[in-house]
Amino acid sequence: MKNNQFIQSIAIVLFVIQSVMLHAQDKNDSAINIDTEQQINNLFETWNTNKTPGAAVAIIKDGKILFKKAYGLANLEFGIKNSPSTLFNIASNSKQFTAYALLHLVEEGKVDLGDDIRKYIPELPDFGETIKVKTLMQHTHGIRGITYLLGMAGWNIEDVISREVVLKILSQQKELNFSPETDFSYNNSGYMLLAELIERVSEKPFHRYLDEIIFTPLEMKSTVLFEDYQKVIPDLANPYFFDGMGYKKGIRNSKDIVGNTGIRTNIEDLSKWIINFDKEKVGNQALFNTLAKPGILKNGDTIGYSCGQIVSMHKGRQVVSHGGADAGYRSQILRFPDDKVAVIVLTNDGSLNAHEKAYAIADIFFDGIKMADPVKTNDSKPTKIVVKGTLKRYEGKFELQPGFIMEFNEKEENLYITATGQGTFPLETLNEKQFQIRRISAIITFIEGDNGNFDTLTFTHNGQNTLGKRIQYKLDSATLEKYTGIYYSPELHTSYELSVENGVLLAKHQRQESTRLSPLGKNRFSGNTWFFGTFEFELQEDMVKGFRVSADRVRNLRFNKVAETYSY
């Protein structure tokens, strides 16, 4: 399970990563001292232009907003600035609202957390084990991650995806990732199903139910649930990401996909929600305690995840937190319940590390000093100090954990990384052998062996070093030919054609880019697209019968070999 948690921790933080700048703006409503305010502004100093997306931040103390400020642009096309009233997609921070809504139904006696989910959504398959409602909130249900299933099935991020499609794909699954309550795997399937359950039990649309029990009584008048991609929302910041050359729009076309994401709100409305944990205008302390109660596995292990929130410690203080990432939006909410302090960071720049900034703001507020940064992860462009051509020696694939691969390629005098289940992005050069993933304050150091080759590396993150070794297993074209053919997944109702081109085994789908398969060992390959991780081929009497594919949030999905080639 440790390997799985390692992969999850990397996957959650490795999103589209690139350099950005913010533009600080507007008059600030502040009740903090000038020095503290200046240190917070310094966190966004290098973004201080009129050409980048931005952020909105707030500090709440004892039920009052002490500090709120916005930076950068909400809209690059028209030069519209962000403000404290600008709406952002808070992405997975929507989960705590979904969990609250479920617990509200529990208090009304309409739902029992120990019930089998199939009591409410009977079209889900019977996996032979009880999947309790509570496990959907805690990510211990074992259901495969819908995002990766959609990618494997040929869906693209620009496609209009509906809840009907999600339910259909989940209802076609024949296996779980793991037995319920024996492991933790963060994915969106559980919270999408919770939204469906809440609608069926409350007999009201999900957005209307949230309005009635949360938004209206708390006077969160600007907050909107984005349940239709065609919906017009005033004062909404546009999402962007930096692709190495310039900013592009983030796209997410979802139709009634809620529960896991979807809430558009601002720092002013979110502050009302946070203040309510102490004021209890809606809900009660018993319900809030359940929201923040860590999950427990069958073996007695406690997980940090509770119900749409993560409970942990930060420098001796308990913190209840959650982050969010969707298209070009990022969000982070921190609550320090013993201190009655909270920090909010919302951004429409997919490359801004909301997590890092939120904790930096908390440190400044509590300690009066800027958070230490041992690798000086500023946001300026890296200085190229590597001799031309030397980056080629780092090219190749390195395995950090079974199934988690980092691939490096040189392009235009920059070193690019592609990690299992992630996109491709450039690294920042620190020195000849050391490179930085600025957004997560991680360092990759290549280690030279006695033979002069660089076959090992260390990945340094949060004070921990993980060793990676170069994958050197190779197969010739003749050997690769035995894996070619047409493979079909009855759980996804989709097919892939595997063929060998220029000595490389490729998995082709008519709606996706080709996946390059690189050998890891006997009958074991890794894929280079975000939705494919590792392939394990199954043979009988040396004849390939199929393969099972695993990714970050999908395990052992079977594809059967059905033909040698397509017949037209």
Side-chain angles (χ1 to χ4, degrees):
M1 188 173 73
K2 291 182 178 179
N3 287 347
N4 183 44
Q5 291 174 338
F6 169 83
I7 295 172
Q8 292 161 2
S9 68
I10 300 299
I12 289 173
V13 295
L14 281 176
F15 294 104
V16 181
I17 297 172
Q18 193 48 250
S19 302
V20 294
M21 296 189 296
L22 274 170
H23 175 65
Q25 62 142 52
D26 289 349
K27 182 179 179 181
N28 176 42
D29 297 323
S30 178
I32 61 176
N33 63 57
I34 294 175
D35 182 59
T36 299
E37 180 178 349
Q38 185 58 52
Q39 289 187 64
I40 293 173
N41 289 337
N42 288 344
L43 293 174
F44 304 105
E45 181 179 5
T46 55
W47 282 283
N48 193 19
T49 77
N50 285 319
K51 298 180 180 179
T52 66
V57 302
I59 300 175
I60 299 97
K61 168 69 174 171
D62 293 327
K64 296 181 180 179
I65 301 176
L66 296 187
F67 177 86
K68 62 179 179 180
K69 192 166 185 179
Y71 306 85
L73 300 180
N75 184 290
L76 298 185
E77 292 90 333
F78 296 99
I80 300 172
K81 293 182 178 181
N82 280 316
S83 75
S85 60
T86 300
L87 301 181
F88 297 82
N89 178 5
I90 62 172
S92 285
N93 266 301
S94 303
K95 289 181 171 69
Q96 59 190 279
F97 293 89
T98 303
Y100 176 91
L102 176 70
L103 294 177
H104 189 270
L105 290 174
V106 171
E107 284 199 333
E108 292 182 331
K110 297 178 179 179
V111 176
D112 190 304
L113 293 178
D115 284 341
D116 191 323
I117 182 62
R118 295 181 70 248
K119 175 180 177 180
Y120 306 97
I121 310 178
E123 60 266 41
L124 290 176
D126 183 355
F127 295 105
E129 300 187 71
T130 298
I131 302 175
K132 297 177 183 178
V133 172
K134 71 174 184 179
T135 66
L136 300 184
M137 289 194 296
Q138 299 169 345
H139 302 291
T140 58
H141 46 76
I143 298 172
R144 289 166 172 161
I146 186 61
T147 306
Y148 287 80
L149 291 175
L150 286 167
M152 293 177 188
W155 292 79
N156 292 296
I157 194 170
E158 298 86 2
D159 293 334
V160 178
I161 301 170
S162 68
R163 198 185 310 173
E164 180 183 2
V165 169
V166 169
L167 287 172
K168 184 178 294 185
I169 290 179
L170 292 181
S171 296
Q172 292 167 183
Q173 299 305 295
K174 300 183 183 301
E175 296 180 29
L176 298 170
N177 280 342
F178 51 82
S179 180
E181 298 181 82
T182 65
D183 203 349
F184 168 88
S185 178
Y186 183 94
N187 71 60
N188 289 319
S189 296
Y191 275 83
M192 289 183 185
L193 292 173
L194 284 177
E196 180 68 17
L197 181 156
I198 290 167
E199 281 200 356
R200 294 185 184 188
V201 174
S202 69
E203 298 181 338
K204 296 174 183 177
F206 186 69
H207 69 277
R208 185 179 300 168
Y209 190 66
L210 291 189
D211 281 339
E212 290 183 5
I213 68 170
I214 303 175
F215 303 149
T216 297
L218 290 182
E219 298 184 11
M220 297 172 66
K221 297 179 180 179
S222 298
T223 301
V224 177
L225 187 67
F226 189 74
E227 77 281 4
D228 186 346
Y229 71 100
Q230 294 177 315
K231 190 171 187 174
V232 176
I233 302 178
D235 300 321
L236 177 65
N238 287 343
Y240 300 94
F241 66 93
F242 195 81
D243 70 347
M245 300 295 292
Y247 280 102
K248 291 186 176 181
K249 293 181 181 179
I251 298 174
R252 181 74 79 230
N253 293 333
S254 61
K255 181 181 179 183
D256 61 20
I257 299 295
V258 292
N260 61 305
T261 185
I263 292 178
R264 270 63 169 170
T265 189
N266 55 37
I267 55 174
E268 294 169 334
D269 271 12
L270 264 183
S271 297
K272 296 176 182 178
W273 167 251
I274 290 170
I275 291 169
N276 183 69
F277 282 97
D278 293 315
K279 300 296 184 181
E280 299 176 20
K281 191 172 182 179
V282 301
N284 54 65
Q285 201 57 50
L287 190 155
F288 298 149
N289 288 341
T290 302
L291 273 178
K293 184 178 181 179
I296 300 176
L297 301 179
K298 285 182 177 179
N299 65 1
D301 288 350
T302 299
I303 60 175
Y305 204 93
S306 53
C307 304
Q309 300 180 119
I310 300 168
V311 181
S312 60
M313 299 295 293
H314 177 69
K315 297 186 177 180
R317 290 182 169 89
Q318 185 186 62
V319 57
V320 182
S321 66
H322 210 287
D326 193 353
Y329 295 106
R330 302 289 183 265
S331 67
Q332 185 69 44
I333 300 175
L334 309 178
R335 288 195 302 112
F336 298 88
D338 296 337
D339 302 278
K340 297 188 184 302
V341 170
V343 175
I344 304 171
V345 176
L346 309 179
T347 176
N348 60 326
D349 187 327
S351 303
L352 193 156
N353 190 340
H355 172 94
E356 180 184 73
K357 299 302 182 188
Y359 278 100
I361 292 170
D363 288 340
I364 290 169
F365 181 77
F366 285 124
D367 305 327
I369 57 173
K370 192 172 182 178
M371 184 176 66
D373 188 351
V375 297
K376 195 178 180 180
T377 58
N378 59 51
D379 299 286
S380 59
K381 293 183 178 180
T383 302
K384 292 185 178 180
I385 52 177
V386 176
V387 178
K388 184 177 181 179
T390 59
L391 295 179
K392 287 288 184 183
R393 59 189 178 181
Y394 305 131
E395 288 190 323
K397 291 192 174 187
F398 293 74
E399 187 170 32
L400 275 72
Q401 294 282 351
F404 189 81
I405 313 297
M406 286 184 172
E407 180 177 4
F408 300 91
N409 289 286
E410 187 274 337
K411 182 181 178 182
E412 298 176 352
E413 299 182 50
N414 280 316
L415 191 64
Y416 283 74
I417 181 174
T418 304
T420 298
Q422 310 302 318
T424 299
F425 49 86
L427 295 171
E428 296 182 5
T429 302
L430 296 180
N431 56 54
E432 187 174 325
K433 301 177 183 178
Q434 201 168 52
F435 303 83
Q436 178 177 223
I437 303 176
R438 172 177 52 81
R439 186 179 176 272
I440 60 171
S441 301
I443 301 295
I444 294 171
T445 305
F446 290 91
I447 302 171
E448 187 173 5
D450 294 337
N451 59 1
N453 295 331
F454 292 85
D455 295 330
T456 58
L457 62 78
T458 56
F459 178 81
T460 304
H461 182 241
N462 288 338
Q464 295 185 340
N465 294 323
T466 303
L467 186 68
K469 294 186 177 181
R470 184 185 295 275
I471 298 170
Q472 297 179 319
Y473 197 88
K474 295 182 179 181
L475 296 175
D476 56 34
S477 295
T479 304
L480 291 175
E481 285 290 340
K482 76 174 182 179
Y483 300 106
T484 62
I486 311 302
Y487 295 81
Y488 175 76
S489 167
E491 296 172 89
L492 298 179
H493 292 184
T494 198
S495 298
Y496 280 82
E497 179 182 15
L498 270 60
S499 62
V500 177
E501 295 183 12
N502 299 319
V504 176
L505 185 63
L506 299 176
K508 298 180 179 179
H509 191 284
Q510 60 184 349
R511 297 198 73 245
Q512 294 285 23
E513 61 180 307
S514 295
T515 297
R516 187 173 71 250
L517 305 186
S518 300
L520 298 175
K522 186 177 181 181
N523 300 320
R524 185 168 174 259
F525 293 76
S526 70
N528 70 323
T529 43
W530 67 267
F531 47 86
F532 275 143
T534 56
F535 289 69
E536 296 278 354
F537 284 87
E538 298 176 348
L539 281 70
Q540 183 176 338
E541 297 180 356
D542 205 37
M543 298 292 291
V544 176
K545 297 299 182 181
F547 63 78
R548 286 184 178 269
V549 64
S550 296
D552 176 37
R553 301 172 191 181
V554 171
R555 303 182 194 175
N556 298 316
L557 183 73
R558 182 172 178 78
F559 282 76
N560 299 314
K561 187 172 183 180
V562 294
E564 294 298 329
T565 186
Y566 282 119
S567 57
Y568 298 97

